[in-house]
Amino acid sequence: EYNFISFIFLSSGTGSNILSALQDLFWLLKSKVEKQLQIISVLQWVLTFLIMGIACTLILMYILCTDCWAIAALYLAWLVFDWNTPKKGGRRSQWVRNWAIWRYFRDYFPIRLVKTHNLLTTRNYIFGYHPHGIMGLGAFCNFSTEATGVGQKFPGIRPYLATLAGNFRMPILRDYLMSGGICPVNRDSIDYILSKNGSGNAIIIVVGGAAESLNCTPGKNSVTLKNRKGFVKLALRHGADLVPVYSFGENEVYKQVIFEEGSWGRWVQKKFQKHIGFAPCIFHGRGLFSSNTWGLLPYSKPITTVVGEPITIPKIDNPSQQDVDFYHSMYVDSLIKLFDKYKSRFGLPETEVLEVN
């Protein structure tokens, strides 16, 4: 029937023009639908990052005061029983990691993962991820989902993205995070994965943490690393190879108000960072309906995450400060070389220098 209708259209003087117009309309509608799905996928993650933990806690408390209190009580009982699971490798779900929503999330920016070297499945690894950005969007998409093909690019390697331990005290949110292979960034969790979970594990630590997020701004490539040596000591204790990772574009997706050192704003941020573990940032992206308005959606700027060459680390049960300093220096040099090698490929001038603070 379609071929017959097409024949009639093409036989007329304007048939080909009509078909061409219909095809253009179809692709236009399809692209608009895909763009909306991309926006929805990113929005749900931003809301998860910002409010899901608090919202789920309040909802659970509310349900306890209603006729459905038994549901909340059962979940709380399960929470107590399951409390230590995040410290023991979590409970990842390949089904969740392969959700189609993450592919729309990836394409919004877009986000890409670049592999430079093979990783042996007989070794364990600690990836140092730089920079933090506001939300670590590249770290999440690349290592907590399969949207950029981390499983295919590094076969046999199980990535665990480490984040604040406080997130795993929040009901529902903890289960959502664990399903993506996210774990607490504390010693118990890391020790378990690197010593009692076999080989082929890769823990991704955003080394700069909250302190680095306070300085991220478009056009700036700087990392907080000089005095961050705990991850090197952990690598030495477990004989886990260190892998530098740099995400070009991570700082471009949000704009932030930067408070100068010594200002009241920076004082408040540091107090939050010290006592709660995160630093409140004043930032904005684009609006939900227009890129010309302010909102919580990140700007659709490309993020390219480059996984560098692993640094072979010996196993030393009680590493000295000299050992830690030596391998930390090797790591810093390796990260700078990685940045310099790839910066021009991803839009930065050859004169751009990575600032290490």
Side-chain angles (χ1 to χ4, degrees), residues 64-89:
L64 279 171
C65 300
T66 68
D67 293 339
C68 298
W69 64 268
I71 297 174
L74 283 172
Y75 179 80
L76 289 174
W78 160 254
L79 192 63
V80 172
F81 174 79
D82 195 55
W83 191 253
N84 289 323
T85 298
K87 300 177 184 178
K88 297 180 179 180

Side-chain angles (χ1 to χ4, degrees), residues 36 39 286-293 297:
Q36 293 305 314
I39 290 173
R286 53 155 289 181
L288 182 59
F289 302 107
S290 171
S291 59
N292 296 321
T293 58
L297 276 178

Side-chain angles (χ1 to χ4, degrees), residues 70-335:
I71 297 174
L74 283 172
Y75 179 80
L76 289 174
W78 160 254
L79 192 63
V80 172
F81 174 79
D82 195 55
W83 191 253
N84 289 323
T85 298
K87 300 177 184 178
K88 297 180 179 180
R91 188 170 46 246
R92 74 174 55 221
S93 166
Q94 286 302 115
W95 176 65
V96 173
R97 288 175 61 89
N98 281 285
W99 276 354
I101 194 172
W102 306 131
R103 294 193 290 276
Y104 290 111
F105 183 99
R106 170 200 67 197
D107 293 339
Y108 172 84
F109 297 92
I111 296 174
R112 189 158 64 99
L113 181 66
V114 176
K115 168 187 173 181
T116 63
H117 291 78
N118 291 325
L119 299 181
L120 299 175
T121 57
T122 55
R123 300 284 293 173
N124 284 324
Y125 301 91
I126 293 180
F127 287 18
Y129 184 92
H130 313 269
H132 183 287
I134 295 292
M135 297 185 186
L137 295 167
F140 168 75
C141 184
N142 285 306
F143 302 112
S144 294
T145 80
E146 293 296 330
T148 56
V150 65
Q152 288 73 43
K153 291 177 180 177
F154 300 103
I157 301 297
R158 293 180 298 275
Y160 293 86
L161 177 60
T163 187
L164 289 175
N167 289 324
F168 296 89
R169 302 187 188 104
M170 302 285 189
I172 311 299
L173 175 63
R174 66 189 293 277
D175 302 286
Y176 191 31
L177 295 178
M178 282 194 292
S179 68
I182 301 178
C183 68
V185 62
N186 58 31
R187 181 168 173 175
D188 290 343
S189 176
I190 294 172
D191 283 347
Y192 183 91
I193 293 170
L194 295 180
S195 64
K196 299 179 181 179
N197 202 41
S199 60
N201 301 291
I203 298 180
I204 297 87
I205 300 177
V206 186
V207 178
E212 191 172 82
S213 69
L214 296 178
N215 294 315
C216 70
T217 187
K220 187 173 183 179
N221 288 284
S222 66
V223 296
T224 302
L225 183 56
K226 278 185 180 177
N227 298 316
R228 299 293 174 108
K229 300 181 180 180
F231 73 106
V232 178
K233 190 173 184 178
L234 281 170
L236 286 164
R237 289 181 61 246
H238 293 285
D241 293 347
L242 288 171
V243 182
V245 179
Y246 197 85
S247 257
F248 295 90
E250 184 73 62
N251 284 345
E252 308 300 315
V253 296
Y254 279 110
K255 296 179 181 178
Q256 180 184 188
V257 176
I258 304 292
F259 292 102
E260 297 295 328
E261 290 292 339
S263 66
W264 67 270
R266 182 55 63 99
W267 180 84
V268 170
Q269 289 176 324
K270 286 187 173 181
K271 285 295 181 181
F272 265 84
Q273 179 189 337
K274 180 179 179 180
H275 297 292
I276 302 178
F278 75 93
C281 303
I282 300 177
F283 65 92
H284 73 84
R286 53 155 289 181
L288 182 59
F289 302 107
S290 171
S291 59
N292 296 321
T293 58
W294 287 11
L296 290 176
L297 276 178
Y299 294 104
S300 52
K301 304 288 186 179
I303 298 174
T304 305
T305 303
V306 184
V307 180
E309 182 178 4
I311 303 167
T312 303
I313 302 294
K315 189 177 187 302
I316 305 175
D317 291 333
N318 294 297
S320 66
Q321 189 59 49
Q322 186 177 2
D323 294 326
V324 174
D325 290 343
F326 175 75
Y327 285 101
H328 180 268
S329 178
M330 283 183 63
Y331 178 86
V332 173
D333 290 342
S334 183
L335 177 65

